[in-house]
């Protein structure tokens, strides 16, 4: 058995008679959550391979290749702009009415918005589709909260070693769907060549697959998922009681259908109630929120630049790859992320702790960015050969460490929450800040990338910009406590 880190977990066992054993995972519901975890990355990764080509097709750039990244960034940022305005309220609402109703709304919104995106013919239509999705899609945040609800400090790292499996599947399948099935009438004329619908809407097929999967997920949630918190607060009482201005004061009582982790049950836990926003803004919550925001800022900027870099012509600083190759590379990245986190995250956490993993992850962003100009220089000098592919592979391998930052942040969010009844709202604050960062990250990175590849400008400007973001994330990470117990003991 892997040795635990005593300074993080031993102080949490306050009663000497309590055995030092890991609580078993509640697999009946955890397996449903793992299935639902696929939806959010599947929908976003389905779009990633063909967005640059879609921007060219709708003519918004008027043939100016340097503007493709800018408009792709606006499409991606529009989702997070709407998400930032609503995620805290959805998360806070879930503390009162339960996680399941909010999740059902989110899944329906994803389905509708994906169909809408595939039917869009103008740049405004694309942006509106992503705004609708961002405004109503709280699925990722709610599922994170549900994992926290049904686990405790002893088994949460183990749970997060399984979470990458659905993400790996979605991050592998999504780009393949988007890259292979976009423009199907042109790519597969024998199968889809007679379809006037797919000729008129060449990106409808991949979007429809994601939308139909969202409908399946909605049915699974409605039929199989149990509520993870107890609540006695009707929605009308929350509205008339001033939900957004103050906490609902009715005591929370245990329910027979409630999933409660036996390692965390105690009489005071059920009597706690959600706190108002002002009471949630503690120094601990501020620190973990800043870390989530700076990590998301860098990660989303990098995620936007990566496919745009692949699609940009070599002479302009990119790699001149087509959507199928871009989709295959992004799928490989998702596969590597999922396998590495599944195999190593829990072991690394018990050995080194969440803080060390997080600092290592954000620090790995610096060599990851440096490889961009190296790859382009090799492509210019020798063409796309073995040296280029080795550097691409090394870059994708480095992103494994960055991907492990997110379960670390989830652990710190859980430790920073003033009480368990306010876990949703605490996570909502962090998600809201991360969404703001994810607006700034793609939009700013896309604009700087477009500016840097224009004639007469410094082609390295985008890389200086991304490295500065990485250093900001590293500096913020230094404020995290050495062990989760530092915050848990004062919860």
């Amino acid at each position: 058995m892997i040795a635990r880190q005593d300074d993080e977990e031993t102080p949490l066992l306050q009663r000497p008679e309590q055995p030092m054993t890991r609580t078993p995972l509640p697999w009946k519901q955890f397996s449903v959550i793992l299935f639902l975890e696929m939806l959010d990355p599947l929908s976003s990764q389905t779009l990633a391979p063909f967005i640059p080509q879609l921007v060219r097709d709708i003519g918004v750039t008027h043939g100016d290749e340097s503007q493709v990244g800018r408009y792709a960034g606006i499409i991606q940022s529009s989702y997070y702009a709407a998400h930032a305005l609503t995620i805290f309220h959805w998360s806070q609402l879930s503390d009162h009415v339960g996680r399941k109703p909010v999740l059902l709304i989110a899944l329906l919104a994803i389905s509708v918005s994906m169909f809408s995106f595939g039917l869009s013919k103008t740049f405004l239509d694309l942006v509106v589709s992503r705004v609708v999705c961002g405004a109503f899609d709280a699925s990722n945040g709610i599922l994170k909260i549900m994992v926290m609800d049904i686990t405790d400090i002893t088994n949460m790292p183990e749970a997060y070693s399984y979470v990458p499996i659905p993400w790996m599947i979605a991050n592998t399948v999504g780009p393949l769907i988007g890259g292979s099935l976009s423009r199907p009438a042109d790519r597969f004329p024998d199968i889809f060549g007679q379809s006037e619908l797919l000729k008129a809407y060449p990106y409808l097929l991949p979007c429809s697959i994601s939308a139909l999967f969202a409908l399946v997920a909605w049915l699974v949630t409605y039929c199989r998922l149990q509520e993870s918190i107890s609540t006695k607060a009707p929605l009308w009482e929350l509205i008339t009681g001033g939900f957004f201005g103050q906490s609902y004061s009715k005591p929370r009582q245990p329910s027979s259908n409630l999933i409660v982790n036996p390692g965390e049950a105690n009489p005071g836990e059920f009597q706690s109630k959600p706190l108002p926003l002002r009471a949630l803004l503690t120094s601990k919550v501020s620190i973990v929120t800043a870390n989530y925001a700076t990590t998301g800022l860098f990660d989303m900027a990098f995620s936007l630049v990566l496919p745009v870099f692949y699609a940009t012509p070599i002479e302009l600083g990119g790699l001149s790859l087509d959507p199928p190759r871009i989709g295959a590379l992004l799928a490989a990245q998702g596969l590597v992320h999922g396998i590495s986190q599944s195999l190593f995250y829990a072991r690394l956490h018990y050995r080194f702790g969440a803080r060390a993993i997080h600092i290592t992850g954000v620090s790995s962003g610096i060599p990851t960015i440096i490889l961009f100009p190296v790859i382009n220089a090799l492509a210019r000098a020798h063409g796309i050969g073995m040296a280029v592919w080795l550097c691409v592979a090394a870059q994708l391998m480095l992103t494994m460490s960055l991907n492990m930052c997110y379960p670390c942040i989830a652990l710190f969010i859980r430790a920073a929450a003033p009480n368990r009844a306010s876990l949703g709202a605490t996570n909502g604050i962090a998600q809201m800040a991360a969404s703001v960062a994810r607006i700034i990250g793609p939009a700013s990175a896309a604009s700087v990338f477009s500016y840097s590849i224009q004639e007469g400008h410094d082609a390295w400007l985008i890389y200086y910009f991304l490295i500065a973001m990485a250093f900001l994330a590293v500096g913020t990470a230094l404020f995290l406590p050495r062990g989760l117990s530092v915050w848990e003991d004062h919860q």
Side-chain angles (χ1 to χ4, degrees):
M1 183 176 291
I2 300 165
R4 299 184 188 173
Q5 186 173 352
D6 291 341
D7 63 341
E8 283 194 18
E9 297 186 6
T10 302
L12 297 176
L13 306 177
Q14 299 292 337
R15 296 182 294 275
E17 66 274 11
Q18 189 172 1
M20 292 181 60
T21 57
R22 294 181 198 168
T23 308
L25 288 172
W27 276 104
K28 183 178 179 180
Q29 286 302 294
F30 186 54
S31 60
V32 178
I33 293 174
L34 289 178
F35 171 76
L36 297 175
E37 287 275 8
M38 287 193 291
L39 184 58
D40 194 60
L42 181 69
S43 60
S44 61
Q45 290 301 313
T46 297
L47 304 179
F50 63 74
I51 280 183
Q53 185 61 45
L54 175 58
V55 169
R56 297 186 186 103
D57 290 349
I58 60 177
V60 69
T61 64
H62 304 289
D64 186 352
E65 188 67 27
S66 66
Q67 295 300 307
V68 171
R70 175 171 174 261
Y71 284 100
I74 292 173
I75 292 173
Q76 190 163 351
S77 295
S78 63
Y79 170 91
Y80 292 105
H83 197 63
L85 295 175
T86 59
I87 184 59
F88 171 73
H89 300 301
W90 287 120
S91 299
Q92 189 180 33
L93 182 64
S94 76
D95 283 335
H96 297 270
V97 302
R99 317 295 190 206
K100 187 173 178 178
V102 177
L103 187 57
L104 289 170
I105 293 172
L107 298 177
L108 186 61
I110 292 174
S111 181
V112 171
S113 66
M114 288 300 291
F115 275 123
S116 175
F117 195 90
L119 293 170
S120 298
K121 300 290 286 185
T122 67
F123 182 73
L124 179 61
D125 293 339
L126 296 173
V127 172
V128 170
S129 297
R130 296 306 289 159
V131 166
V132 170
C133 187
F136 291 91
D137 177 19
S139 61
N140 188 30
I142 297 300
L143 289 171
K144 285 180 181 178
I145 302 168
M146 293 191 76
V147 173
M148 299 178 197
D149 287 337
I150 67 174
T151 59
D152 58 32
I153 196 64
T154 68
N155 61 7
M156 193 173 175
E158 181 187 359
Y160 271 100
S161 70
Y162 292 105
V163 168
I165 295 175
W167 279 76
M168 174 185 66
I169 295 171
N171 284 329
T172 302
V173 175
L176 292 177
I177 293 173
S180 301
L181 299 182
S182 59
R183 307 183 67 87
D186 296 335
R187 291 180 52 80
F188 308 103
D190 294 339
I191 302 175
F192 301 108
Q194 302 302 315
S195 174
E196 295 300 324
L197 177 65
L198 294 180
K199 288 180 180 179
Y201 303 98
Y203 302 97
L204 176 61
L205 182 59
C207 292
S208 297
I209 292 174
S210 291
L212 291 173
F213 185 80
L215 291 178
V216 172
W218 191 96
L219 292 173
V220 171
T221 301
Y222 184 81
C223 298
R224 302 295 299 170
L225 187 67
Q226 296 179 22
E227 184 56 69
S228 62
I229 64 169
S230 62
T231 178
K232 300 294 184 181
L235 182 60
W236 177 249
E237 290 186 25
L238 290 174
I239 296 173
T240 57
F243 165 65
F244 293 107
Q246 62 187 12
S247 174
Y248 184 71
S249 60
K250 192 168 183 175
R252 296 154 65 89
Q253 300 295 334
S255 166
S256 59
N257 295 323
L258 173 64
I259 307 169
V260 181
N261 195 298
E264 300 229 338
N266 63 72
E269 196 73 55
F270 292 117
Q271 297 302 324
S272 62
K273 63 182 181 180
L275 300 175
L277 176 60
R278 178 175 293 183
L280 296 174
L281 298 178
T282 63
S283 59
K284 295 183 293 185
V285 173
S286 299
I287 290 171
V288 73
T289 298
N291 275 275
Y292 201 174
T294 53
T295 302
L297 179 72
F298 171 75
D299 187 25
M300 293 307 298
F302 170 77
S303 297
L304 183 280
V305 169
L306 187 64
V308 175
F309 170 81
Y310 288 156
T312 300
I314 293 176
E315 59 272 17
L316 293 180
L319 209 51
S320 297
L321 300 181
D322 55 12
R325 280 194 175 184
I326 295 173
L329 286 173
L330 295 179
Q333 183 186 42
L335 190 66
V336 169
H337 285 176
I339 292 175
S340 62
Q341 191 168 321
S342 299
L343 293 178
F344 304 123
Y345 177 74
R347 293 177 171 86
L348 291 172
H349 173 83
Y350 290 124
R351 177 66 179 87
F352 299 106
R355 183 177 187 266
I357 298 173
H358 181 74
I359 292 176
T360 302
V362 291
S363 299
S364 70
I366 298 169
T368 301
I369 299 305
I370 292 174
L371 280 170
F372 275 125
V374 173
I375 292 170
N376 178 253
L378 289 171
R380 286 172 182 263
H382 308 291
I384 302 179
M386 181 62 68
V388 168
W389 292 120
L390 286 175
C391 288
V392 169
Q395 187 180 51
L396 295 183
M397 294 294 286
L398 281 170
T399 61
M400 291 190 307
S401 184
L402 178 63
N403 189 58
M404 290 189 186
C405 292
Y406 291 105
C408 298
I409 291 172
L411 287 165
F412 281 112
I413 289 174
R414 187 181 184 280
N419 62 20
R420 292 300 302 279
S422 300
L423 193 53
T426 303
N427 186 68
I429 293 172
Q431 291 270 22
M432 180 174 62
S435 294
V436 172
R438 287 166 174 168
I439 301 167
I440 300 171
S444 60
S447 297
V448 174
F449 185 88
S450 297
Y451 179 82
S452 65
I453 65 175
Q454 292 175 9
E455 187 175 357
H457 296 155
D458 186 356
W460 282 57
L461 182 61
I462 179 60
Y463 309 124
Y464 299 144
F465 183 69
L466 292 175
I467 288 173
M469 287 185 176
F471 274 113
L472 178 63
V474 172
T476 308
L478 297 177
F479 289 94
L480 290 169
R482 291 189 176 275
L484 296 172
S485 60
V486 175
W487 283 356
E488 289 274 4
D489 289 349
H490 296 88
Q491 189 174 61

